[in-house]
Amino acid sequence: MNNLNQNNGMQKRMLIMTLVVFVFFIAYEFLVLKPQQEARAKQAEVEKQQSQNAAPDVTTTDTSIQGAPTNNNMSNSISSLSSKAVGSSDIITTITTAKNRILIDRLGRVAQVTLLQSIYKDEEGKEIKLFEADQLRPLEVRFANTDINNKAFEVNYTTTAEVVDATKNVQKFTLTQDIDGLVLTKDFTVYPDGHYDLKVKTSQKEQFFITNGFRPNVLADMYADHGVYVKQNDGTMELTSDEKLDKIKSYTGIKFVSNFDRYYATVIYNFDKSLQVSLMPDSEQNPQAFVHAQGEIDFSGYMGPKNFNDLKALNPQLTDVIEYGWFTFIAKPMFTFLQFVHTYVGNWGWTIVILTIIIKLILYPLSYKGMVSMQKLKDLAPKMKEIQTKYKDDKQKQSMHMMELYKKHGANPMGGCLPLLLQIPVFFAIYRVLLNSIELKGAEWILWIHDLAEMDPYYVLPILMGVSMFIQQKITPNTMQDETQKKIFQMLPIIFTFFFLWFPAGLTLYWFTNNLFTIGQQYSINKIFERQRAAKK
């Protein structure tokens, strides 16, 4: 340390920095990302109204996938598809499984997927549909040969089954398209759990591309990532978020490609044969995935919720479809443990409470050291002030005597912040787990909380969280001398309460429970120090 502030103020600045990180993280998403998202949604609506009868513009001049992404001749009937309904005259096959209903249109594409399980409902209590209007459709085929590609969008497919009932048994059917003698077939095998196997081949060895379509657009909010996620053969995961792709990006050796929003995904995967995938930006720099093929290709697919157990049942590697961000290495095992606790508790709300308690117990040694250090610094505050006053003109002696004081009393000016800093990755991991876990959707807790994935409708939890944060602040030793710093800290419970009003109830429950146990820990340590002080008198 070279001066007074570095000696006495480092601990304060570290604590401020930690809290500022939290505030910035929440404020940036609420004040910057959300307005941007709303503005984009309004602009998209305007553009949609201006071009209701126009085909989506997904052209490119890139020669690495020559001609494949050209779509100028796409049928106008598809561009007019509603996100809530699909024109029955355009549908050639309706597939019903135990978990979803899949509509195949006359160009052999997935026009819509409707989730049939009762836990998946929209805000109006209706069945959730994964795709919006005027979006690139899953399983659309495009040819490298421009002439063939243009003709393909003018020729309807034929089907061997208009109705496929796979609710109880595996079913097979075939789609066929005859493009001036070039015959393309899609052989489907559909399973009751909602996933499918698909083999696509052409009668002549033509290069073509099959797309995963644009991601589901059920819940693409400011809190979670959405875009395209790929897993490579070496296990590496790579995310391309919406509005972040400015040029075509190609991969070889891909195990799966997932187009996803917060809770839902469409996935193409093959764990036996590697896939070659290119991502192409649309007009808004959103990624669109195209799987390369030469004559034929086979793979499996899934369109639905990113439910951990459902994905694991298909293939354990598919659980990587669930994206937790930077702290995946902590978040994924944490979710596994959360699942384990839930198997015994049976309620996700109480599971979150128990998980919070367990985490607090594990981190208790760190928290205890930090709290003890803060208490010692509080007790030393008068002596620190004396040294500051006595050696105000000699910074070197001031630093030396400060260090001697700390050493004599076993105080660490950084001791109160380091434990807090080390807990930041844990917090963000829990944040991502609770944010991305569709298992919380529709999960009730107590009387007024009917969905832990949604905000508290009566703001009870955010207010309780703010009150608990205020109490925690009041009983925590504070050695700050600067009045501005004190005022900032006094405002934090209000600021946090404001932002948590719109947070998922499950996340707010975690924070509130964490505050309660921190209050208990701090209170007990305060009592211990009070008895020690009384004994010395």
Side-chain angles (χ1 to χ4, degrees):
M1 292 185 182
N2 297 320
N3 53 51
L4 172 62
N5 290 333
Q6 286 179 322
N7 190 32
N8 183 43
M10 181 64 73
Q11 183 263 347
K12 301 174 188 176
R13 291 198 297 274
M14 289 290 289
L15 189 57
I16 292 174
M17 182 192 73
T18 302
L19 291 171
V20 167
V21 167
F22 282 116
V23 173
F24 175 80
F25 178 77
I26 299 171
Y28 179 75
E29 292 195 347
F30 184 80
L31 298 177
V32 178
L33 296 184
K34 186 174 182 179
Q36 289 178 350
Q37 179 190 0
E38 292 173 348
R40 290 194 300 269
K42 291 180 181 178
Q43 180 63 28
E45 183 63 26
V46 171
E47 293 176 355
K48 177 181 174 182
Q49 292 176 357
Q50 292 175 344
S51 58
Q52 282 185 336
N53 297 321
D57 180 14
V58 286
T59 60
T60 182
T61 58
D62 187 89
T63 57
S64 64
I65 30 182
Q66 46 185 320
T70 302
N71 194 17
N72 291 331
N73 295 320
M74 184 177 289
S75 169
N76 285 337
S77 63
I78 300 303
S79 67
S80 63
L81 287 180
S82 166
S83 61
K84 301 302 180 186
V86 178
S88 58
S89 61
D90 292 324
I91 302 305
I92 61 172
T93 298
T94 299
I95 307 165
T96 304
T97 72
K99 295 185 177 181
N100 59 26
R101 181 168 57 251
I102 305 170
L103 303 181
I104 306 295
D105 70 17
R106 63 186 183 83
L107 291 179
R109 308 172 300 190
V110 175
Q112 189 59 274
V113 173
T114 303
L115 305 183
L116 301 181
Q117 293 173 278
S118 60
I119 59 174
Y120 301 120
K121 302 292 183 181
D122 62 16
E123 295 79 1
E124 300 173 354
K126 298 179 180 178
E127 294 174 335
I128 286 177
K129 300 178 187 298
L130 295 187
F131 305 117
E132 289 288 349
D134 301 326
Q135 291 180 342
L136 183 66
R137 300 288 164 175
L139 305 187
E140 177 177 298
V141 171
R142 298 185 183 182
F143 289 88
N145 185 306
T146 305
D147 291 335
I148 297 175
N149 191 64
N150 291 338
K151 291 177 182 177
F153 283 101
E154 299 173 355
V155 178
N156 292 347
Y157 279 72
T158 59
T159 180
T160 59
E162 293 182 359
V163 177
V164 177
D165 183 359
T167 53
K168 296 181 180 179
N169 300 304
V170 177
Q171 300 290 340
K172 296 184 178 183
F173 71 99
T174 300
L175 300 179
T176 305
Q177 184 184 40
D178 189 337
I179 312 168
D180 292 342
L182 174 67
V183 180
L184 182 146
T185 57
K186 294 181 179 180
D187 295 319
F188 281 86
T189 303
V190 185
Y191 298 82
D193 60 12
H195 91 281
Y196 64 88
D197 297 334
L198 178 61
K199 182 173 184 178
V200 185
K201 61 182 178 179
T202 56
S203 58
Q204 302 168 28
K205 197 171 184 180
E206 288 288 339
Q207 183 184 11
F208 64 88
F209 308 85
I210 187 164
T211 178
N212 207 16
F214 189 72
R215 62 163 172 76
N217 198 22
V218 182
L219 185 58
D221 58 20
M222 65 178 179
Y223 300 115
D225 290 325
H226 36 84
V228 172
Y229 210 26
V230 297
K231 182 172 185 177
Q232 302 180 71
N233 285 341
D234 62 2
T236 303
M237 303 294 301
E238 186 166 324
L239 169 68
T240 302
S241 299
D242 283 351
E243 301 181 348
K244 300 294 185 182
L245 186 65
D246 57 0
K247 60 182 179 181
I248 289 179
K249 184 189 299 183
S250 295
Y251 301 89
T252 56
I254 295 298
K255 292 187 175 183
F256 72 66
V257 55
S258 168
N259 299 33
F260 69 98
D261 68 3
R262 180 172 169 183
Y263 287 143
Y264 307 93
T266 60
V267 190
I268 286 177
Y269 61 95
N270 191 325
F271 297 110
D272 297 321
K273 301 176 183 178
S274 298
L275 301 172
Q276 182 178 354
V277 178
S278 289
L279 305 185
M280 185 192 73
D282 65 9
S283 58
E284 296 181 351
Q285 297 188 336
N286 299 317
Q288 302 175 110
F290 290 85
V291 180
H292 297 232
Q294 188 73 33
E296 67 177 67
I297 189 173
D298 59 272
F299 55 81
S300 298
Y302 171 82
M303 298 173 286
K306 293 187 290 183
N307 181 289
F308 186 91
N309 286 335
D310 289 347
L311 293 169
K312 185 179 180 180
L314 295 178
N315 190 297
Q317 293 192 62
L318 283 177
T319 58
D320 289 335
V321 165
I322 306 171
E323 190 268 329
Y324 296 115
W326 292 348
F327 298 103
T328 297
F329 69 100
I330 301 177
K332 196 167 184 179
M334 188 174 292
F335 177 77
T336 302
F337 183 70
L338 191 71
Q339 289 264 58
F340 172 76
V341 174
H342 181 259
T343 58
Y344 291 94
V345 177
N347 178 281
W348 282 106
W350 293 116
T351 298
I352 292 172
V353 172
I354 292 172
L355 175 70
T356 309
I357 295 171
I358 292 173
I359 291 174
K360 291 296 292 183
L361 291 175
I362 293 173
L363 296 177
Y364 180 74
L366 280 176
S367 301
Y368 178 81
K369 288 182 179 179
M371 291 176 178
V372 169
S373 181
M374 292 290 287
Q375 282 285 1
K376 289 181 177 179
L377 289 173
K378 179 183 177 181
D379 291 345
L380 293 176
K383 294 181 179 180
M384 292 164 60
K385 187 68 176 177
E386 290 178 8
I387 293 174
Q388 293 169 5
T389 304
K390 185 176 181 179
Y391 299 104
K392 63 180 179 180
D393 297 324
D394 191 337
K395 303 301 182 184
Q396 186 174 358
K397 284 188 177 181
Q398 186 183 104
S399 297
M400 181 183 68
H401 285 282
M402 281 288 191
M403 294 304 295
E404 289 177 353
L405 181 67
Y406 294 149
K407 186 176 181 180
K408 180 180 178 181
H409 294 275
N412 183 355
M414 299 293 293
C417 318
L418 287 177
L420 188 58
L421 288 174
L422 292 173
Q423 292 179 57
I424 289 179
V426 176
F427 166 77
F428 283 121
I430 294 175
Y431 172 85
R432 298 297 301 202
V433 165
L434 299 182
L435 198 62
N436 290 281
S437 298
I438 195 171
E439 287 79 2
L440 298 184
K441 184 170 178 58
E444 298 183 355
W445 182 42
I446 53 179
L447 297 178
W448 73 97
I449 302 294
H450 301 296
D451 192 340
L452 287 166
E454 301 292 334
M455 56 182 277
D456 184 335
Y458 302 108
Y459 308 114
V460 176
L461 277 177
I463 292 172
L464 289 175
M465 187 280 301
V467 171
S468 66
M469 192 172 180
F470 175 78
I471 295 172
Q472 178 185 337
Q473 188 182 84
K474 285 297 182 183
I475 69 172
T476 300
N478 188 341
T479 60
M480 291 182 183
Q481 303 296 324
D482 185 85
E483 289 300 320
T484 301
Q485 292 179 359
K486 288 182 180 180
K487 290 180 180 179
I488 291 174
F489 271 79
Q490 289 169 359
M491 291 294 294
L492 284 177
I494 298 174
I495 295 172
F496 272 64
T497 300
F498 175 77
F499 287 120
F500 270 78
L501 291 176
W502 293 273
F503 266 37
L507 185 63
T508 310
L509 174 61
Y510 160 74
W511 193 283
F512 170 58
T513 307
N514 182 77
N515 284 352
L516 287 182
F517 277 83
T518 302
I519 290 171
Q521 290 176 353
Q522 188 67 63
Y523 180 80
S524 62
I525 290 174
N526 289 353
K527 286 297 182 181
I528 292 173
F529 270 80
E530 285 178 10
R531 289 195 294 268
Q532 290 177 350
R533 293 188 193 105
K536 292 179 181 179
K537 293 181 179 179

